Each structure stands twice: as structure tokens, then as C-alpha cells.
Amino acid sequence: MRRALVLAGLIVASPAWADDQDRDYCPARPGLGTPACTISPGRVSVETSLADWSLDKQPGERTDTVLIGDTQLRIGLSDSVEAQIGWTPAGFVRDRTGSTIDRVTRTGDVTLGLKANFAHPDGKGFSIAAQPFVTLPVGRTPIGAGDWGAGLVVPITYDLSDKVNLAVTPEVDVAVDQDGHGRHFAASTVVGVGFALNDRLTLTVEGQAIRDDDPSGKSTQGLASASLAYMASKDLQLDVGGVAGLTKDAPDVELYAGVSRRF
């Protein structure tokens, strides 16, 4: 009986302990990079792109891609470790080659990952983490990759001041070949600077370089990005952003808007 009373007391007290120990909400969106912070233990973050449109124009061809509800679920497992589940439920591709137009509607693949933080899981000061992940081919091309893939992200952030944050995100991938069969090496690096415009609004500017050694043709992409994140409350963030391609292999433009909610 005494053990039952002690257990009941711990259960009742645990929410208050979690509230006392809870840290500032740190969504992984928006932007090209990845924050080093992790979600507080026992908390869940749902981060969704309400709409994401990208345009890729190549000689004689134009491809428009729209993703709806691209979502990542982040679950705090401990003070410095979180689990991640991502999925794109709907994607629409319109491809025009000359006078021929093809339209395709597909679902995307599922991504499973973990993030382990090694210094300051709240993201304050200097923070670094490792984030391995795998993608499962539950979707269909061209939204899904057609085969399994894997990768490792190592996000690093540093507060230059109370208002300015520097972020570097290197990544290496075992990426799926363009034809959906087999895998190859790919790597990228994102460098970004975040500016706290006030207590709720943050502007982030970033640059990204991507090297992809696909057997169908190696490519190097350069991207530039700007995004705004508005913290509507301590558990709710709204965001908008845009990406511009800087090289011929990169998509021309991407625009998106999203929402993140912590529970």
C-alpha cells in the first residue's frame, strides 16, 4: 500500500517537475539548416509545412512541385535525446516539356531519426548534436525516392550575442539514385545567421552547397534562403520562407509557409 501511495505521488508530481524543467520551444523549421537543440523530455512537437511550392526550369522543361502537409514529429525521450518521424502525405507534380503536360499525385516516404545533443540541449551558447536518419520507401516517385536511404546531420549553433545566432549544418547521405534503384554518396553544408528582431520574430538568412554524385550525372547546387519565424505563444510558431537557386543544377525558387506546435 505504501509503495502504491509513493508511486501515485510521483505521478502527480511529475507534470509540475516537467513544467519547472521545461525549456524554450525550439522548432526545427523554418529554413535550410537544422538546430542543435532537442525537445524537452516528455514533450512532443508537430511541425508542418502547410504548403510548399518549388519551380525547376531546365532547357525545354518546367517542373512545378507542391507539397501539402509535409510533417515532422519530434518526441523528447530524455534531456538530450529526441526521436523523429517525418512524412509527406500529399505531393503534386506538374511537368511541362514542350507542349506536353504531365500531372502526378503521390505520397512521400517516411523518415525515422534520432537527435542526440552533446552540449546545451536548450540550444543556448554553443550547442552541437548528431542526427542519424533513415528513409523508408513507402511513397512513390517522383515525391518518394523509390528505395531506402540514410544519412547523418551534425547541427552546430553558437550565440554570437543575445540577438544573433550562427548555425552550421553539415550532412552526409547515402542517397537514392535518380532511377529509384541503388544508392550513391551526397553531401551538403548549410551556413546561416539568425537575427532576433524582437521577442517573438526571428529572421534567418542561409546559404547551402550540395554535392550529389548520382550515377545519372553528378551535380553541385548552390542555394540562398531567407525565412521569418513568429512565436505566437510559448508553444506555437508560424513561419514563412523562400529559397532561390544560385546554380543551373538547383531548383529556381521555393516558397513555403508552416506551423509548429508543442504539446
Side-chain angles (χ1 to χ4, degrees), residues 82-162:
E82 69 178 38
Q84 302 172 344
I85 305 172
W87 184 49
T88 304
F92 309 92
V93 178
R94 180 183 183 272
D95 185 85
R96 185 179 69 187
T97 304
S99 60
T100 302
I101 298 177
D102 293 321
R103 294 181 175 87
V104 177
T105 301
R106 295 284 189 268
T107 60
D109 297 332
V110 168
T111 301
L112 303 177
L114 284 173
K115 183 194 290 185
N117 183 282
F118 305 115
H120 299 109
D122 59 359
K124 301 296 178 61
F126 172 78
S127 187
I128 182 171
Q131 180 180 309
F133 66 89
V134 297
T135 56
L136 307 179
V138 302
R140 297 174 59 191
T141 58
I143 302 301
D147 204 342
W148 69 267
L152 174 66
V153 183
V154 183
I156 305 167
T157 59
Y158 180 70
D159 289 330
L160 298 176
S161 71
D162 292 341

Side-chain angles (χ1 to χ4, degrees), residues 23-26 34-37 117 119-128 155-168 192-196 202-204:
R23 47 183 172 259
D24 290 343
Y25 187 22
C26 179
T34 300
C37 58
N117 183 282
H120 299 109
D122 59 359
K124 301 296 178 61
F126 172 78
S127 187
I128 182 171
I156 305 167
T157 59
Y158 180 70
D159 289 330
L160 298 176
S161 71
D162 292 341
K163 302 293 185 180
V164 182
N165 176 268
L166 174 66
V168 180
V193 181
F195 302 91
T202 300
L203 168 68
T204 302

Side-chain angles (χ1 to χ4, degrees), residues 199-224:
D199 291 341
R200 293 179 178 268
L201 188 64
T202 300
L203 168 68
T204 302
V205 293
E206 298 168 297
Q208 182 178 28
I210 305 172
R211 177 62 180 180
D212 193 307
D213 290 343
D214 193 281
S216 65
K218 298 180 180 181
S219 65
T220 301
Q221 297 184 21
L223 302 168

Side-chain angles (χ1 to χ4, degrees), residues 45 47 71-75 83-87 110-113:
S45 176
E47 305 176 16
T71 299
Q72 183 182 53
L73 185 70
R74 301 167 62 202
I75 305 166
Q84 302 172 344
I85 305 172
W87 184 49
V110 168
T111 301
L112 303 177

